Amino acid sequence: MRKTFLPAIIWIMKEAMFYEKLDEKKVKCFLCAHHCVIKEGKRGICAVRENIGGILYSLVYGKVIAKNIDPIEKKPLFHFLPASSSFSIAAVGCNFHCAQCQNFEIAQYPKEHAHDIPGELMTPETVVDAAVKNECASISYTYTEPTIFFEFAFDCARLAHEKGIKNVFVSNGYTDPEATKTIAPYLDGNNIDLKGNADFYRDICGAKLDPVKDTILLMKELGVWVEVTTLVIPDHNDSEKDLREIAEFIKSVDPSIPWHVTQFYPTYKLADKPRTPVKTLRRAREIGLETGLKYVYEGNVPGEGGENTYCPDCKGLLVSRFGFRIGEDRTRNGDCPKCGRKIEGVWQ
């Protein structure tokens, strides 16, 4: 009897992009703004890039720890193909150590289990095929930081574009400029966290503020649609001064960048903090609009009224939302039906 062999997916330990070799078999990684110098046998801050014999390898290429079909509004992206589905994937690991991490089980996993890199084996072809099969308009690299699985995301993104599928990052914005320039031709949307001031980044995230601002500016300059999210945490980044500084920076890049001010809920190392009061989010939205931002949204509080899109000129309701669901979309391919204003974004 003839045997039938099904093709197997073999895990590849992929040589990393964006690094240089140093003396004594050390390497310096330039994928993100940490610029880790890594000794032989050690890993970078992300814990998923390892120096083996003087060569830097990605340990998560093709290892997908989470995959789902999500509404694009969940990213959150409100001005990017509204009501469409996005095939969403992640690998374990992160280059931040955020105390408020909402996906810490997978984002911080390698730091707790140094030699265990879990994940379902997938290829760029199987990822893109899944997006096509499920009629997804985009692929989102999300849940953890997509920069740390850059090589896999890059290969998926190039193939997706060949198939007419768009690509989305949900990112902390710590990507090095050269990596940003490399992915930008294949990246259509990016929701970037702008978490707080410089002290917040140092104390809560283990990072610096300026590289995040630089990435927001560069992504915008390179033609990627950008939206910004701030998770508003009581007693950490909820002061009027902090919120106004964030709003003013976004305006300085482009006042049409949507800003999502989102409710925090107790988790991980900040489990002792309360949920963000709705009135705090309401004030944050007011600050954004007072500063001159055109689109400001309240997140994680469905039904409170801060999720809808209004025309900046005539103030007419354009898109009504409840959580991740679209109630009504009155835009005409991105135009206001009442006054004709072009609404910034990526539309059907």
Side-chain angles (χ1 to χ4, degrees):
M1 182 176 179
R2 185 177 179 181
K3 294 181 179 180
T4 300
F5 294 94
L6 298 176
I9 297 175
I10 305 300
W11 177 58
I12 300 172
M13 191 167 64
K14 185 86 167 180
E15 183 175 357
M17 302 168 68
F18 310 108
Y19 80 98
E20 69 176 13
K21 297 180 179 180
L22 305 176
D23 294 338
E24 300 176 339
K25 291 190 176 182
K26 296 178 183 177
V27 299
K28 187 171 185 178
C29 181
F30 292 98
L31 177 61
C32 84
H34 285 305
H35 291 174
C36 295
V37 174
I38 307 169
K39 295 180 180 180
E40 184 181 11
K42 301 297 183 180
R43 300 181 186 178
I45 287 173
C46 65
V48 294
R49 302 170 80 77
E50 184 170 339
N51 178 352
I52 302 175
I55 299 174
L56 188 63
Y57 288 94
S58 167
L59 304 180
V60 290
Y61 188 93
K63 284 197 167 185
V64 176
I65 192 63
K67 67 180 191 293
N68 290 290
I69 300 168
D70 291 332
I72 195 66
E73 287 76 18
K74 188 177 179 180
K75 299 305 128 188
L77 288 171
F78 280 10
H79 290 234
F80 187 94
L81 305 182
S84 68
S85 295
S86 188
F87 189 72
S88 303
I89 63 171
V92 296
C94 189
N95 52 357
F96 278 15
H97 301 162
C98 297
Q100 79 280 14
C101 184
Q102 296 179 353
N103 287 321
F104 65 90
E105 296 95 337
I106 56 176
Q108 307 301 324
Y109 185 96
K111 299 169 184 61
E112 303 295 332
H113 306 81
H115 298 289
D116 183 9
I117 305 293
E120 175 186 347
L121 298 183
M122 298 187 75
T123 66
E125 289 77 14
T126 57
V127 169
V128 174
D129 286 349
V132 172
K133 179 181 178 181
N134 290 285
E135 299 182 343
C136 295
S138 63
I139 298 173
S140 289
Y141 310 88
T142 179
Y143 307 136
T144 62
E145 173 50 45
T147 300
I148 61 94
F149 59 98
F150 185 96
E151 291 81 5
F152 189 62
F154 180 63
D155 287 349
C156 291
R158 288 189 297 176
L159 184 58
H161 261 209
E162 293 176 8
K163 302 290 186 179
I165 297 173
K166 297 187 183 299
N167 295 288
V168 168
F169 267 19
V170 180
S171 175
N172 60 29
Y174 223 56
T175 316
D176 185 84
E178 286 307 308
T180 297
K181 293 173 185 176
T182 299
I183 194 69
Y186 308 100
L187 194 63
D188 303 283
N190 195 349
N191 186 296
I192 301 175
D193 284 347
L194 188 49
K195 299 174 184 292
N197 60 26
D199 291 343
F200 183 96
Y201 271 89
R202 182 193 65 226
D203 299 337
I204 304 297
C205 307
K208 298 178 181 179
L209 169 61
D210 286 345
V212 179
K213 290 183 173 181
D214 292 342
T215 299
I216 292 171
L217 180 60
L218 182 56
M219 283 284 181
K220 195 68 181 176
E221 289 176 347
L222 293 172
V224 178
W225 176 253
V226 173
E227 302 191 21
V228 171
T229 293
T230 302
L231 185 69
V232 182
I233 306 173
D235 301 324
H236 282 289
N237 63 354
D238 61 341
S239 72
E240 180 143 342
K241 178 178 181 293
D242 287 341
L243 295 168
R244 193 170 295 278
E245 285 179 354
I246 292 171
E248 288 174 348
F249 169 75
I250 296 171
K251 181 187 177 184
S252 73
V253 178
D254 186 341
S256 66
I257 292 176
W259 184 30
H260 302 261
V261 289
T262 303
Q263 185 182 59
F264 162 85
Y265 58 87
T267 189
Y268 197 34
K269 296 180 180 179
L270 292 183
D272 60 329
K273 289 294 178 184
R275 282 180 178 262
T276 317
V278 172
K279 66 179 182 180
T280 301
L281 300 181
R282 189 74 26 88
R283 180 56 187 149
R285 183 169 182 268
E286 290 173 355
I287 289 170
L289 295 172
E290 290 169 4
T291 301
L293 298 181
K294 296 176 182 178
Y295 311 103
V296 187
Y297 300 103
E298 299 167 23
N300 287 348
V301 284
E304 291 291 339
E307 304 166 296
N308 300 332
T309 300
Y310 298 90
C311 176
D313 288 352
C314 71
K315 311 304 179 185
L317 176 66
L318 297 175
V319 183
S320 63
R321 299 180 181 86
F322 186 94
F324 305 137
R325 300 197 304 273
I326 297 289
E328 184 179 10
D329 184 354
R330 300 177 183 175
T331 60
R332 297 173 180 171
N333 196 30
D335 294 335
C336 175
K338 185 176 180 181
C339 71
R341 186 191 192 282
K342 186 69 177 177
I343 306 302
E344 294 85 351
V346 177
W347 310 102
Q348 300 283 5

